[in-house]
Amino acid sequence: MYLMRIGAPGAEKPVVRVDDDHYVDVSDLTPDFDERFFAAGGPALLAERVAAGPRQAFAGERVGAPIARPHQILCIGLNYSDHAAETGQAVPAEPILFTKSPNTLVGPYDDVRIPRGATKTDWEVELGIVIGRRTSYLDSPEEAAAAIAGYCVVNDVSERAFQMERGGQWSKGKSAETFNPAGPWLVTPDELADVRNLGMWLDVNGVRRQTGSTKTMIFDPYVIVHHLSQFMVLEPGDLINTGTPPGVGMGHDPQIWLRPGDVMELGIDGLGSQRQRVVEPR
């Protein structure tokens, strides 16, 4: 199943994508794809409607993030062996955790705004995990599969000067407005043959900058969810960004940074693609 939210910011309605041209409106069954929806059973609640419901044609509506603003956005750093190598950092023994403000979440085609004072804004194509039920203290990574509602494409936009040169926490370089485009849809796990072997890519201004695969993850999605559950309670609808493959701007020589007018295009096999225009600070 492919869950989408379409409509103006703050007024999105939940739908299920049937194909490139059609969807089934499920807004009478749930007001949104939010914590309450996932806690009540999530996509399983929609199966009968999707099978029998009338199809409607997409008519150029804005596509929002596939989930409502989550309780938290958790992020894993240096989670691809080839990305760790390009940054010159050691492969971590345990997942590196940082957080991103939930209000960074925007749609997959919305503009990305460079924050004031930024000088090193960067891109990161990532696999996003959405949690499907309240989860804590899982006994094993195998148990994590039942806690995952689905997966989506995420662009973990970063301001490296804030992240690396201002001291303190990485979150300062991760939490500017618009810094977490997600979607275009949330894909339920049954739609993917193997989430640990998905091709990933990102272009800037038509030039391929990132090419990778989830098979080079150091910690796969199940290990990540199990690990995080030992330290915190994961809530339904929470989003986890799981790290990026090589090719980020910081990893190039010379380094490349985003500027107003640039266009990012990115995608993951089976999860769709995104496109964002970079705009000036407000």
Side-chain angles (χ1 to χ4, degrees), residues 149-227:
Y151 303 95
C152 62
V153 181
V154 169
N155 189 355
D156 178 21
V157 185
S158 308
E159 170 47 43
R160 303 298 190 188
F162 294 175
Q163 177 187 358
M164 304 293 190
E165 300 169 17
R166 298 295 298 271
Q169 301 296 319
W170 281 12
S171 299
K172 293 193 295 189
K174 299 284 188 171
S175 292
E177 59 181 330
T178 74
F179 265 28
N180 207 99
W185 39 72
L186 175 68
V187 179
T188 53
D190 58 291
E191 299 282 359
L192 300 173
D194 186 359
V195 72
R196 292 171 289 195
N197 189 20
L198 301 176
M200 312 169 71
W201 58 274
L202 182 145
D203 296 346
V204 179
N205 300 328
V207 177
R208 182 60 45 92
R209 294 301 185 186
Q210 287 188 273
T211 302
S213 170
T214 58
K215 68 184 179 183
T216 68
M217 275 186 166
I218 299 165
F219 307 105
D220 71 33
Y222 311 116
V223 171
I224 290 170
V225 172
H226 167 258
H227 180 79

Side-chain angles (χ1 to χ4, degrees), residues 47-88:
E48 185 176 343
R49 167 62 60 80
V50 173
R55 298 183 178 188
Q56 300 183 42
F58 288 110
E61 300 94 341
R62 170 186 171 270
V63 178
I67 57 172
R69 183 183 295 185
H71 167 256
Q72 58 186 347
I73 298 177
L74 303 169
C75 306
I76 306 300
L78 293 178
N79 192 34
Y80 283 71
S81 55
D82 37 8
H83 174 53
E86 78 169 343
T87 64

Side-chain angles (χ1 to χ4, degrees), residues 3-6 8-15 25-40 42-43 45-46 64-70 105:
L3 308 185
M4 298 181 67
R5 297 167 67 249
I6 58 175
E12 297 93 343
K13 71 176 180 179
V15 305
D25 188 342
V26 294
S27 58
D28 60 323
L29 299 180
T30 179
D32 213 339
F33 295 142
D34 54 12
E35 181 177 354
R36 180 176 296 183
F37 166 76
F38 290 109
L45 304 174
L46 311 176
I67 57 172
R69 183 183 295 185
L105 191 69

Side-chain angles (χ1 to χ4, degrees), residues 133 138 140-148 221-223 225-226:
R133 62 174 174 83
L138 292 171
S140 69
E142 289 72 27
E143 284 190 2
I148 296 173
Y222 311 116
V223 171
V225 172
H226 167 258

